[in-house]
Amino acid sequence: MANKCGNCGKFLAVADTVKCIRCCFLFHRACAVNKSPDSKAPKWICKGCKPKPCSPAPVSALSSMHIISSGNQDVDSPMLLTGQEEAEVASSLLEQIKLLRIELVAVTHEVSSFRQELLSLKNTMSEVGKRVDNVEMRLAQLEETTTSPNSGLLREMAQLKSELNDRDQACLTNDVEITGITERAGESLPHILDLVSNKIGVQLDERDVVYVERSGPRPAYAENSERPRPRPIVVRLARRAIRDQLLRAARVRRGADSSGFEIDKEPRRFYINERLTKPNRLLFHKAREDGRKNGWRYIWTREGRIYARRNKETSAHRIRSQDDLMTVFGQTSV
């Protein structure tokens, strides 16, 4: 900053400047008190810095200016400069200006780069949004296709499930299921099978039976206690002819009970039927319920297939799926 005289307040020239050694304030040589303009004494003290012989007087305007200047010495720092020092200061200022310009150019470059990155990020987000919208649209079309009643995929899946169920049912060709026999802890299933077969008039040899067991998970009950709903007994026979013989004998002696078995206090009816897969068993149960509601008298199974007939004069209908229940029994099957 330009320096001003501490006395008159005008700007100072470097060659016409006197500096107080105490307050470092600058004065014109003509304005300097007690100093000749031609004097070249190295040391000089301004009037405001000289000691006062009398009691302290009110602070003068010059002293106030000195105090203010001393408080802002880091900002203005008035000092006496030679030509060489002035050139050095000017050179330093020019160097700082150059550095400031370089920093401004670098900041400008960084801001420009940041803007480009923001623009690139915006374009990327826009592209990602378009891809997400495309995926959502394709997913919606796929869901609409797969959930449509006329979808070829659904038909193929239903056909595959039906084929798998038929194969599983074919594996149960030699199996029968006995229900209604009370279940007890420590029971002998081969002995119970002999009692049941003798009851319906069929003699079974040990070689005719592959295995006999209870179907389903074992229930938790105390020893010698009865289970309210006993698990069915599953029997796999060595030959299909023996299975057919058991089923025919069970139909002839329909209503046979467990009297004489010594496992029930009161005789209980038991039933022998061909063994069905879980889907066929559920479908058969639903068909019997719907047939009973609609007055259909005959609903049975043969070789794992489910049939229904309203009476003796009508023809039989095969039930393969839940859709056939609607077709055969009408709206009441829903």
Side-chain angles (χ1 to χ4, degrees), residues 90-105:
S91 176
S92 176
L93 289 175
L94 289 175
E95 187 67 23
Q96 292 181 3
I97 291 174
K98 290 180 180 179
L99 294 175
L100 181 59
R101 287 181 177 178
I102 294 174
E103 292 181 357
L104 287 176
V105 171

Side-chain angles (χ1 to χ4, degrees), residues 63-307:
S63 299
S64 300
M65 293 177 64
H66 289 178
I67 294 173
I68 295 174
S69 175
S70 298
N72 298 331
Q73 187 174 358
D74 294 337
V75 180
D76 294 330
S77 299
M79 58 185 298
L80 182 62
L81 298 176
T82 63
Q84 183 180 1
E85 291 177 346
E86 185 177 10
E88 291 178 355
V89 171
S91 176
S92 176
L93 289 175
L94 289 175
E95 187 67 23
Q96 292 181 3
I97 291 174
K98 290 180 180 179
L99 294 175
L100 181 59
R101 287 181 177 178
I102 294 174
E103 292 181 357
L104 287 176
V105 171
V107 171
T108 303
H109 180 71
E110 291 180 357
V111 171
S112 178
S113 177
F114 181 68
R115 288 180 178 178
Q116 292 179 358
E117 291 180 358
L118 285 179
L119 182 59
S120 177
L121 180 60
K122 181 179 179 181
N123 295 334
T124 304
M125 292 299 296
S126 178
E127 184 67 22
V128 170
K130 292 179 180 179
R131 293 184 178 182
V132 170
D133 293 340
N134 188 21
V135 170
E136 290 181 350
M137 181 178 64
R138 294 175 60 184
L139 181 60
Q141 293 177 354
L142 182 61
E143 290 178 350
E144 183 179 359
T145 302
T146 55
T147 56
S148 175
N150 299 325
S151 173
L153 181 60
L154 289 181
R155 291 196 300 269
E156 291 180 2
M157 290 177 60
Q159 183 178 357
L160 289 175
K161 288 182 179 180
S162 178
E163 292 177 358
L164 289 175
N165 184 49
D166 292 341
R167 292 184 181 182
D168 292 341
Q169 186 62 55
C171 296
L172 306 179
T173 303
N174 295 349
D175 293 7
V176 295
E177 196 173 69
I178 305 173
T179 57
I181 302 297
T182 303
E183 183 176 0
R184 293 181 180 275
E187 62 186 0
S188 175
L189 293 178
H191 176 66
I192 294 177
L193 177 60
D194 289 337
L195 294 176
V196 170
S197 61
N198 292 331
K199 189 74 172 182
I200 61 176
V202 178
Q203 297 294 328
L204 292 179
D205 190 78
E206 292 182 357
R207 295 172 297 181
D208 296 332
V209 180
V210 178
Y211 67 81
V212 53
E213 63 182 8
R214 292 277 184 179
S215 177
R218 183 183 297 275
Y221 56 90
E223 188 177 357
N224 297 328
S225 63
E226 296 184 0
R227 189 170 183 266
R229 298 183 62 181
R231 293 178 296 167
I233 300 175
V234 174
V235 182
R236 173 158 293 184
L237 302 168
R239 293 176 297 165
R240 182 175 176 181
I242 301 175
R243 188 208 71 159
D244 295 340
Q245 184 181 359
L246 277 175
L247 294 177
R248 285 194 300 268
R251 284 195 294 268
V252 171
R253 292 171 175 81
R254 189 186 305 272
D257 55 31
S258 61
S259 58
F261 288 2
E262 298 180 356
I263 57 176
D264 292 322
K265 296 180 181 179
E266 297 182 0
R268 300 181 62 179
R269 293 183 61 179
F270 61 85
Y271 305 90
I272 303 177
N273 298 290
E274 56 182 322
R275 189 182 179 189
L276 302 176
T277 62
K278 184 176 180 180
N280 285 343
R281 185 166 59 251
L282 296 176
L283 185 61
F284 181 57
H285 177 73
K286 187 68 168 57
R288 294 184 63 182
E289 287 185 350
D290 294 345
R292 189 181 302 109
K293 293 178 182 178
N294 292 273
W296 289 59
R297 294 187 59 184
Y298 305 102
I299 300 174
W300 72 98
T301 62
R302 181 184 300 168
E303 305 300 335
R305 302 180 181 91
I306 303 172
Y307 297 92

